[in-house]
Amino acid sequence: MDNILTDLANAASIMNAPPSAVGVDQRKQAENFLLKFKKSDKPYAICKRILESSEDPYLHFLASSTLKEGIMREWAMLGNEEIDQLRDYLLNYTHHHLNSHTYVLRQMLHVVALIVKRSLLTREPAYLQGFVSNVCSLFKSPTTLNLGLEIAGALLAEFTVADKTLSSYMSYQHNLDCKKAIEGDGLYQIFVCTVEVINQLRGATPVEQHRKEWIQVMNILYSVLSWDFGVILSKRLAQMSNLSLSVINLMPGSQWSVLKEEHVLSLLVELYRLFSSDREIQHVTRLCIVQLGTLQGSVFDNQDERVTFLSQYIAAVVRLVVRACELPGSEEDHGLALAVRQLLWANTCQDLKNIHVSLFKEFLAALTELSLKVFLNSSRDTEENTEDVVDVILDVWLTLNQMMDTLPRSPLDTCMLRVVECYLNCHLAPPVGIRDDSTDLEEVSAIWLPPWE
């Protein structure tokens, strides 16, 4: 075994060496050796030895990948006891090596998630529920919180899609059955425990001290809120059916009635403001707010409940938009424009018509001010991200224009007129408009130069 470890270390050093330090044949030989090792029979003992004796993260990742392929390939020859031992070994290793490279730990936990998923072929659904309960129990202790969040993230990443046939040696139908299995109670339990962690972290100061945990917990929350509770098609089938994979409405069962409660939306808005100085966490928080706005289905007992939720959501979005318009920068403009567009796409004309007229006028007024700010910024800034915001804003008003026959016409006409006038003003040169024509000359000179120059 020591000879194999030495050969693996040599091969890894060759693969990581710069091209000038090793020859092509030497690198190819090392690559073939590593590929052969990954396909070896019963690699479990040697992989454990690598993880325990080597300090090379490349070899750690290789050992994790080899374990995954070995377990999936030889599953039929392994008993439940041996499989559970391998699962527990990986969990124990990650618990005691949380400071290792992130990509290594996540690969190990991906193997754990695969083991849990594959085990559902022969075990009762209670096996999955028991594992999820154990994971959620890790959230309650500060010493195991990071591990619990990482495992929960790996579980959701593996169970959320059905198009995993090639990577996990499982059929499409089994992947779909596993997705339905975790939707029973496990997914809701993860959501409830995640919200509990958020409330705990809110009381911890300073926020920057727990930034890693905040990123983990907000990504888990977004995974739950963007979960497709319908039948997921593979990407290829979706393309053949001309279905959009970018828009997923949140349509859980009646068990998830807590999502329509105002305190959930208020929590997300509070977090959005809390992380105003941290763009990464604020971005994920905004995505969560966007997804919550697509809430539909049996969580609402009647139409009145849906109107109440939609009114509360629109009021919250209006407050965020008004706040963004008061800020001198434009960092939040794109995200809020996307939130408004998603809101219009996820709800019907009748849904918007049912909200109070005064709230709808506030919504249009805030959207108009955001549009004017975006157009004015675009006239001074020619960067590509500014153009993207303009495109989103135009999509929003185009969508509203298509709803004009149903929505209140008078305030919509007034706001649209202001938006069109500002757009033209920002795209026409003086004396009619305010566009800086020097940018036009630069673009023309870049496209066409006289042949004599």
Side-chain angles (χ1 to χ4, degrees), residues 129 132 136 181-191:
Q129 186 57 39
V132 171
C136 290
I182 201 172
E183 287 175 8
D185 294 312
L187 190 63
Y188 184 76
Q189 186 176 358
I190 291 175
F191 168 75

Side-chain angles (χ1 to χ4, degrees), residues 166 293 333:
L166 295 178
D333 296 348

Side-chain angles (χ1 to χ4, degrees), residues 272 275-280 282-283 286 320 323-338 370 373-374 377 381 383 385-386 389:
Y272 184 80
F275 295 109
S276 58
S277 59
D278 193 317
R279 297 304 175 194
E280 182 180 358
Q282 189 187 53
H283 172 70
R286 182 169 56 241
L320 292 177
R323 174 178 171 273
C325 292
E326 296 172 351
L327 298 175
S330 59
E331 292 84 0
E332 299 184 19
D333 296 348
H334 193 188
L336 292 175
L338 288 172
L370 178 64
K373 178 187 176 184
V374 168
N377 287 339
D381 191 352
E383 293 184 5
N385 60 341
T386 306
V389 184

Side-chain angles (χ1 to χ4, degrees), residues 5-6 17 76 94 103 158 170 174 191 196 204 223 243 312 321 358 360 371 390:
L5 290 174
T6 303
T94 53
Y103 69 93
E158 180 58 38
M170 287 180 274
H174 177 65
F191 168 75
E196 291 177 357
S223 296
L243 296 177
Q312 293 170 351
V321 171
S358 61
F360 183 70
S371 304
V390 172

Side-chain angles (χ1 to χ4, degrees), residues 70-90:
I71 292 171
M72 293 298 107
R73 185 177 59 249
E74 301 174 359
W75 186 275
M77 296 180 287
L78 300 173
N80 288 342
E81 183 178 353
E82 190 173 1
I83 291 172
D84 290 344
Q85 288 176 354
L86 289 169
R87 182 202 64 194
D88 294 340
Y89 173 83
L90 290 171

